[in-house]
Amino acid sequence: MQENDPPGPEVAPESSTEQAKSTTYAAQLQFDRPPRSIYHFREQYLGGAATICPNTNFLKGVKWSPDGACFLTASDDNCLRIFDLPAEAYSGELKSQSATELHDETATDSFAAALQVQEGELVYDYAWYSRMHTSDPVSCCFATTSRAHPIHLWDACSGSLRCVYRAYDAADEITAAYSLAFHGQGSRIWAGYNKAIRVFDLSRPGRDCQTITTFQKGQDGQPGIISCLDFSPDDPNLMAAGSYSSVAAVYDATSGSAAFILSGHKGGLTQVKFSADGNFLYTGARKDTDILCWDIRYTSDVVYRLQRDTGDTNQRIQFDIEPMGRHLATGGSDGKVVSFDLTTGEPVSTFLAATDTLNGFQFHPYLPLAATASGRSSSTGTPSPVLSSQDV
């Protein structure tokens, strides 16, 4: 595909997404019983991957669109797929799947992906446009970053390439970002690189960007590759970054300066996430069984540790906080989803969601639903993304 620089997208106007979240998600999720499985998808991840990764295709997380109308997956075949949520899911009239159907490798997919986008190389990260809403086609887009490629902005309706954002190294060669995040207002893309964060104006494709150096020799800072990013939902000027050097940091998004550095993980960080009120930061890492909770108002020590089965994998194991902000749920190498009460840090429920590594988990923005993704790199690995419903 030609990597031309088409005109940048307009910044989407204020949508009804936030209003829908606050008004529709009135009931709390029930964690005292396992959720019902309602949809599952497997065949689509096996059919087209033979030439790229025969017999080993697996998923790399799952992400709901900000308006909750669809979810996006990436897999080892370098393909991104969008699945639209059926109308029946909004009414609550859903048919449950049995445990046998859930883990049956011969079972047919619940429905086909609405869109597929093929990247040219290994996908490092992907992110929805933060103000995406299906009522505004201009806002329906997502960004990807892959090995040896610049950042691509894709149209989520047509699958066409909208824009390209390029970063260059000291030898003036294109260098790939390892992580992506849209600023809450949707006007900028933040991208993690080796010892640097680059900020691109969404409306100006090309190579123009602001560079924030995260580490310089002989000075304090955040060394290593910036592997994950997240913005505070309470303060858009606070941005958290994790690095493969096992260090997290919180930055002032206006000045680009680091407010403080957090150390305590055994492996490289794979996810950072703020609490719903913005007062706490949760961090997870490779080959580390603990998700650490930090009070960013008092950063002297870890508040508590949430344990999960991730001590033997280098995969990104995704965790998420439900919209009410009271519980965190995470996947693990054992295929289980473990949920924690964030007021105490104690586990409140566990259920088996997959027979392989569960690397993706995310709550729906306002419905009592959650999506999971699973699989790992092996000669017999089979992907099994599952969309699950939690009864209210």
Side-chain angles (χ1 to χ4, degrees):
M1 180 177 291
Q2 291 282 337
E3 292 183 349
N4 298 322
D5 290 338
E10 302 173 9
V11 176
E14 184 72 32
S15 72
S16 60
T17 302
E18 293 303 320
Q19 182 180 1
K21 288 181 182 179
S22 60
T23 58
T24 308
Y25 201 94
Q28 298 182 38
L29 300 176
Q30 297 291 326
F31 290 91
D32 57 352
R33 56 187 176 184
R36 297 178 297 144
S37 171
I38 54 176
Y39 305 122
H40 87 280
F41 312 88
R42 189 192 308 267
E43 291 180 333
Q44 295 170 72
Y45 293 90
L46 299 178
T51 58
I52 299 175
C53 44
N55 302 319
T56 64
N57 193 28
F58 61 96
L59 278 113
K60 298 179 177 180
V62 57
K63 298 183 180 181
W64 287 100
S65 61
D67 69 345
C70 52
F71 57 94
L72 174 66
T73 69
S75 46
D76 202 42
D77 58 359
N78 308 331
C79 186
L80 295 107
R81 296 171 174 86
I82 293 177
F83 294 85
D84 290 336
L85 191 63
E88 64 187 22
Y90 296 90
S91 66
E93 299 175 358
L94 300 166
K95 178 185 177 182
S96 302
Q97 289 181 322
S98 67
T100 302
E101 291 177 309
L102 175 61
H103 303 303
D104 184 4
E105 295 186 8
T106 64
T108 58
D109 288 1
S110 298
F111 49 85
L115 182 72
Q116 294 188 32
V117 170
Q118 189 68 48
E119 269 290 6
E121 268 288 358
L122 176 70
V123 177
Y124 287 146
D125 199 8
Y126 56 104
W128 283 103
Y129 175 57
S130 56
R131 302 186 70 176
M132 177 271 187
H133 199 281
T134 51
S135 64
D136 178 18
V138 173
S139 71
C140 296
C141 57
F142 61 92
T144 62
T145 179
S146 56
R147 183 170 54 197
H149 283 67
I151 297 169
H152 291 156
L153 187 70
W154 300 94
D155 190 302
C157 298
S158 66
S160 60
L161 180 65
R162 284 193 187 179
C163 305
V164 177
Y165 304 88
R166 300 181 177 91
Y168 291 81
D169 60 18
D172 204 35
E173 296 180 350
I174 289 179
T175 180
Y178 292 90
S179 54
L180 295 172
F182 282 94
H183 187 268
Q185 298 300 316
S187 59
R188 293 174 292 169
I189 302 176
W190 288 60
Y193 294 84
N194 185 23
K195 301 176 186 177
I197 297 171
R198 291 183 169 93
V199 185
F200 296 87
D201 187 324
L202 194 63
S203 63
R204 299 184 63 185
R207 66 184 298 165
D208 291 341
C209 64
Q210 172 193 357
T211 300
I212 300 170
T213 301
T214 61
F215 182 78
Q216 291 183 351
K217 190 175 181 180
Q219 300 181 14
D220 293 334
Q222 185 179 23
I225 292 170
I226 305 302
S227 53
C228 45
L229 302 165
D230 189 44
F231 282 94
S232 169
D234 180 65
D235 185 351
N237 291 321
L238 283 183
M239 192 273 298
S243 73
Y244 284 142
S245 64
S246 308
V247 174
V250 175
Y251 291 86
D252 183 324
T254 303
S255 66
S257 61
F260 43 80
I261 305 295
L262 305 173
S263 300
H265 278 287
K266 301 174 184 177
L269 269 70
T270 54
Q271 187 176 356
V272 291
K273 188 170 183 64
F274 281 98
S275 61
D277 61 8
N279 290 332
F280 299 90
L281 181 68
Y282 296 88
T283 58
R286 292 172 167 176
K287 292 191 173 183
D288 192 331
T289 57
D290 293 333
I291 296 174
L292 303 185
C293 172
W294 309 84
D295 188 334
I296 63 170
R297 300 165 299 179
Y298 313 100
T299 60
S300 59
D301 201 2
V302 175
V303 178
Y304 54 69
R305 299 169 182 263
L306 310 177
Q307 289 198 331
R308 57 179 180 168
D309 186 6
T310 55
D312 61 349
T313 180
N314 278 319
Q315 287 195 73
R316 291 178 183 257
I317 303 297
Q318 188 179 5
F319 61 86
D320 193 30
I321 298 173
E322 46 93 358
M324 298 296 287
R326 300 173 182 174
H327 298 85
L328 179 149
T330 178
S333 302
D334 54 3
K336 294 179 180 178
V337 174
V338 183
S339 300
F340 298 87
D341 185 329
L342 293 184
T343 59
T344 64
E346 295 296 324
V348 293
S349 70
T350 302
F351 71 90
L352 183 66
T355 56
D356 208 337
T357 300
L358 192 78
N359 54 51
F361 181 91
Q362 193 171 60
F363 290 103
H364 190 276
Y366 56 87
L367 292 175
L369 301 172
T372 65
S374 63
R376 59 190 172 89
S377 179
S378 69
S379 60
T380 59
T382 53
S384 53
V386 179
L387 182 64
S388 301
S389 169
Q390 296 196 29
D391 296 328
V392 176

